[in-house]
Amino acid sequence: MIQLVKSVGEQICNVLVGSYGTYIILKDGTAIANGYNKNGCLGAGDRNSYLSGYSPVSVSNVNQITNCQETTFYLQNDGTVHGIGRRDRGRLGSRVDKDIPNGIPMVITDFPEPIRKIKAGYHSDIALSVSGEVYCWGENRFYALGVESDNELLTLGPTKLPFTRTVKDIATTTETFAAVDESGQCYGWGRNEYGELFGIQNNWIDTPMPIPYPAPIMKIEASANKIVALDIHGNVHVSGLFLREHVCKTLSLQSPIHDVQCGYQHVVMLDEYGSVYMFGAGLCGCMGTQSGRYHLESPVLIERVPKINRILAGGHQSWLFSDLHVLVAGENNNGELGVNAESKRKGERDGTNGFISSFIPFELDPQPKREVNLQVGMLAERNHEAS
C-alpha cells in the first residue's frame, strides 16, 4: 500500500516480526504493519481485524517497534515511548485509562529520561535510556523485574536497575532479560529454566548476574526461550531451548560473524564478506531451504543469494538486504512478504502463499505516499486527543 520513490531496500530502516504481525519502519519515520490486529496491537486498522496489505500505524516519527503477545511499544526519534494493546500487569505504565479504547497508543510518561531502545517480554518489559540506564516494568514473574522479592505478582512501573557501568545493549526472551555494559560484560536475570543464561545453573535469577561468556560481548539478541550473543572475535554463543533441546554452545563458523539476528527457532548470521549462515528450525520456510520443517543442527552457508549487506529476522521470517533487492522467506499468511495470501483467518494457510520457502524479492503494493502520510497524520491527531 506504499508507493516508494526509490527501491524498497533504500527506504526500509527496520523490520520487526511480532507475535501477530510484521512491522516495517521506513527511513522517514513512517511505520506500516500487516497481520492480525488483536486488541489493536498493530496500531493500524480496527481492533481484532486482519489488515489487507500493509497499513500505516497511528504513531509518526518511529525509530523502533517491539511486540510480544498483545502489547506493542513504539519508540519515537525523540525518545518518547507509546504503548498499545493489552494494558494489564502495568504493561503500559501508570497512566492506564479505561476510557481510552484499545487500539489507541498511549504515551508512557513514567520514564525519567528519553529512551533509545526498548524490548517487550510476555509479562514485563525492558528499556535502555539515552544515558545508558536500564528500566524494567510490568509483572515480577520469574523475578523478571530484577527485584529481590518473592512476590511474583508484584507489579511496578519503570524501575531503574543498579548497574555500575553504562549499558550499551539489552535483550529479552519471554521471561529472561539480558544487558551488556560498555566493557562487554553481559548480565542476565529472570527465568533460566531452559538454560537461557549461558553457563548459569540457577533456575531463577532475582538480580542481574554476570554471564560467563568466554569473551566480551558486542551484541545480544533473544527470542522465545533463547539468547544469542555475538562476541568481539566474531563468535556466536547460543543458549536456551533450541530444537526442543537445552543448548549452551559456541557456533563454529568459517569466518568471523559481523551481525546476528534471531527468530523464534532460527538464527541468521552475516559475515564480513556478505555471506549468510543459518541455524535452527526452518518453520514456514524461514531459512529459504525449500522445506517448511528443515532443521539445521549446525550453521549452514545459504547459497544462491547475492552479497548481503544487512540481515533481519524474527518470528518465522528472514529478511536479507543486498545492493539491489530485499530478499524474504518464511511466514506469509497475510501477505507480509510482499506476495498476497488468500487466507485471512488465524492459523489458516492457503498452501501456496501461506509460507515462502525460498528467498524472493520483497515488494509493497502501490498506494500514493501522500495518502499514507494523510492517514498517519489523522491517526496521530486521534491519538493526541484520546491521551
Side-chain angles (χ1 to χ4, degrees):
M1 298 175 64
I2 308 295
Q3 180 67 50
L4 301 179
V5 177
K6 301 179 182 179
S7 70
V8 171
E10 291 177 320
Q11 289 294 300
I12 292 178
C13 177
N14 206 348
V15 178
L16 181 279
V17 183
S19 299
Y20 293 99
T22 301
Y23 308 79
I24 296 177
I25 303 174
L26 303 179
K27 290 184 178 179
D28 64 359
T30 300
I32 53 180
N34 194 0
Y36 180 35
N37 197 37
K38 188 172 184 180
N39 281 334
C41 65
L42 298 187
D46 297 327
R47 287 184 57 209
N48 300 326
S49 63
Y50 286 90
L51 303 182
S52 178
Y54 277 96
S55 299
V57 307
S58 48
V59 179
S60 58
N61 298 317
V62 178
N63 180 272
Q64 295 174 34
I65 301 175
T66 182
N67 165 271
C68 193
Q69 289 295 80
E70 300 167 41
T71 303
T72 303
F73 297 99
Y74 300 96
L75 175 61
Q76 292 183 301
N77 289 314
D78 64 357
T80 301
V81 177
H82 295 250
I84 190 173
R86 290 190 61 173
R87 56 193 65 200
D88 55 348
R89 307 185 183 96
R91 297 291 299 281
L92 300 187
S94 61
R95 288 182 62 253
V96 176
D97 187 344
K98 294 182 179 179
D99 294 331
I100 299 177
N102 284 350
I104 301 297
M106 295 174 50
V107 177
I108 301 179
T109 60
D110 304 77
F111 297 109
E113 58 180 319
I115 300 300
R116 67 181 175 93
K117 189 170 186 178
I118 188 167
K119 290 290 184 180
Y122 269 17
H123 302 100
S124 45
D125 313 287
I126 185 172
L128 177 63
S129 74
V130 293
S131 67
E133 300 288 355
V134 176
Y135 298 87
C136 283
W137 68 100
E139 194 173 81
N140 197 43
R141 191 171 304 195
F142 301 109
Y143 304 107
L145 298 182
V147 177
E148 295 181 2
S149 171
D150 293 329
N151 181 10
E152 288 194 355
L153 298 181
L154 174 67
T155 300
L156 296 176
T159 304
K160 186 170 72 172
L161 274 66
F163 287 97
T164 57
R165 291 183 176 178
T166 301
V167 173
K168 64 179 183 179
D169 200 10
I170 56 173
T172 178
T173 71
T174 55
E175 305 283 2
T176 311
F177 293 93
V180 183
D181 69 21
E182 58 189 351
S183 70
Q185 175 63 60
C186 190
Y187 298 83
W189 65 98
R191 178 175 175 171
N192 192 40
E193 292 181 328
Y194 299 114
E196 292 94 334
L197 303 178
F198 190 95
I200 296 179
Q201 301 302 318
N202 309 44
N203 284 342
W204 302 310
I205 312 297
D206 59 6
T207 56
M209 174 181 289
I211 302 177
Y213 287 113
I217 299 302
M218 59 182 293
K219 183 177 183 181
I220 192 85
E221 291 286 333
S223 179
N225 297 310
K226 64 180 178 297
I227 292 179
V228 180
L230 175 63
D231 70 27
I232 60 173
H233 304 303
N235 298 314
V236 177
H237 311 278
V238 179
S239 54
L241 187 64
F242 221 121
L243 302 180
R244 299 182 179 179
E245 296 181 358
H246 292 196
V247 174
C248 181
K249 65 180 182 179
T250 299
L251 302 180
S252 177
L253 298 157
Q254 298 178 8
S255 59
I257 293 301
H258 177 71
D259 191 17
V260 61
Q261 298 277 332
C262 61
Y264 289 154
Q265 284 296 317
H266 74 294
V267 175
V268 183
M269 295 160 284
L270 177 68
D271 71 12
E272 59 184 342
Y273 304 108
S275 298
V276 176
Y277 298 81
M278 294 199 187
F279 162 71
L283 300 174
C284 302
C286 62
M287 295 193 293
T289 56
Q290 301 289 338
S291 173
R293 292 189 175 274
Y294 183 43
H295 288 192
L296 300 176
E297 297 183 359
S298 59
V300 171
L301 174 66
I302 303 301
E303 301 177 340
R304 299 184 300 278
V305 295
K307 179 180 178 181
I308 300 301
N309 304 321
R310 185 161 60 114
I311 56 174
L312 294 169
H316 304 310
Q317 297 178 13
S318 297
W319 296 62
L320 310 180
F321 290 72
S322 71
D323 288 333
L324 300 177
H325 298 290
V326 177
L327 304 177
V328 291
E331 186 173 15
N332 188 51
N333 206 33
N334 292 284
E336 299 95 320
L337 302 185
V339 178
N340 292 330
E342 299 293 334
S343 171
K344 292 297 178 185
R345 289 187 293 179
K346 182 173 172 56
E348 180 180 337
R349 310 216 190 288
D350 64 7
T352 302
N353 293 321
F355 63 84
I356 305 297
S357 59
S358 60
F359 283 103
I360 63 171
F362 174 80
E363 294 182 0
L364 286 172
D365 295 331
Q367 179 183 352
K369 184 97 175 279
R370 181 173 54 187
E371 182 176 342
V372 171
N373 290 335
L374 178 62
Q375 291 182 47
V376 171
M378 293 174 62
L379 289 170
E381 182 177 350
R382 178 185 173 200
N383 165 46
H384 176 73
E385 292 175 353
S387 59

